[in-house]
Structures are given as C-alpha cells and as structure tokens.
Amino acid sequence: MKKFRFSLETVLDYKNQALDALRAEHGAILAQVRAQEAVVEGLEREYSQVDGEFTQRKLEGLTVLDALNYEQYLRALEREVKEEYRKLSLLRRQEEQKRGQVVEARKETATIEKLKERKLEDYRKAEQKDEELRIEEFVSTTRAMAAVGT
C-alpha cells in the first residue's frame, strides 16, 4: 500500500509559515498599541495633576509669572497629548489592517486544510475498499481451492 501524500503539502506549509509571521507582526503591533496607550494615559495623568496643582495654587494666590508658566506648560502638555493620540490612532489602524491580513491568511490556510482532510478521507475509503476486495478475493480463492480439493 502506498502512503498518503497531499499534493498541496508544500503550499500548506508555506501558508502556515506566512500565517505565523503575520501573527507575530500582529502581536508586535498590539504591543506597540498597548505601550502607546500607556504613554497617553501617563500624559493625561500628568496633565490632570498639573491642572489640579494650578487650580490649588490659584486659590492660595500665585504670581502672574507662575500662572503664565502653568498655562504654558498645560498647553504644551495638551499638544503632546494630541500628538500621542495621533500616533495611537495610526497604530490602531495598522493593528486593524494586520488583523485583517491574519484573518485572511487563516481562511486560506483553513481552506487548504479542509481540502487535505477530504483527500485523506477519500484515500482511507479507497484503502478500505481495496482491503475489502483483497479479502473477498482471498475468500473466493480459498473456496475454489477447497472445491477443487474435494
């Protein structure tokens, strides 16, 4: 009996390698998204802290120069937060695109794997049928030999 061989095995291996590479890229982008979210969160926390400090200092009384410094620092933080949100948005779009590529690659791989399963099932059925024919032939030969011997 010959061994089962799937003709598209090399294609399936290639698709699986490509899928693994895409998954790794997607994971890296997800890590970048999480890191960027942490940066944004840290800046927002800093802005909130400085704004609270500024409000408290206004109640206690502060010089005009100090007030201007606080306002300038807060505006700079606002710009930085806005820029970091822009970066985050870009990373999220990249992550979404890469996720789509992973899904598409997974579909392609799954299609080939299903084809392989069907081919293997056909192979097994053919092997079983061949085995049944050999058994039937053996039984027929045995009966014929027994009939000749009597």
Side-chain angles (χ1 to χ4, degrees):
M1 281 184 238
K2 61 182 184 176
K3 185 178 173 186
F4 173 74
R5 188 174 115 46
F6 183 55
S7 61
L8 296 176
E9 192 68 42
T10 55
V11 174
L12 181 59
D13 290 343
Y14 172 77
K15 292 287 186 180
N16 277 323
Q17 288 174 359
L19 177 60
D20 290 344
L22 284 171
R23 283 181 176 154
E25 291 170 15
H26 181 246
I29 291 174
L30 270 177
Q32 290 175 349
V33 167
R34 300 297 175 251
Q36 188 62 28
E37 287 172 343
V39 167
V40 168
E41 189 178 303
L43 284 172
E44 286 179 336
R45 221 179 3 259
E46 182 178 357
Y47 181 87
S48 179
Q49 179 185 353
V50 170
D51 190 43
E53 184 180 311
F54 181 39
T55 302
Q56 183 63 35
R57 295 272 319 268
K58 282 192 284 189
L59 293 174
E60 296 169 355
L62 75 158
T63 65
V64 173
L65 184 59
D66 285 343
L68 288 174
N69 284 337
Y70 269 107
E71 286 179 358
Q72 282 183 332
Y73 186 60
L74 287 171
R75 296 311 147 244
L77 280 175
E78 285 174 359
R79 286 189 300 275
E80 195 173 349
V81 166
K82 187 176 180 180
E83 176 61 20
E84 296 304 326
Y85 265 117
R86 187 194 64 73
K87 290 177 185 177
L88 179 59
S89 177
L90 177 65
L91 283 171
R92 284 182 175 158
R93 280 194 301 272
Q94 289 175 349
E95 183 273 332
E96 188 176 311
Q97 181 183 21
K98 193 58 71 176
R99 185 174 357 107
Q101 290 175 352
V102 168
V103 167
E104 195 58 39
R106 182 66 197 122
K107 285 179 188 175
E108 291 174 9
T109 305
T111 301
I112 296 173
E113 286 173 349
K114 287 227 186 268
L115 178 62
K116 181 180 180 179
E117 289 171 14
R118 280 199 299 267
K119 294 286 186 183
L120 181 59
E121 186 62 31
D122 291 346
Y123 170 81
R124 287 182 180 150
K125 285 179 183 176
E127 285 292 312
Q128 184 178 359
K129 191 171 190 171
D130 189 42
E131 183 69 23
E132 289 170 1
L133 286 173
R134 275 185 288 201
I135 290 171
E136 191 176 304
E137 186 177 308
F138 176 75
V139 169
S140 296
T141 305
T142 305
R143 284 186 186 156
M145 296 288 268
V148 170
T150 51

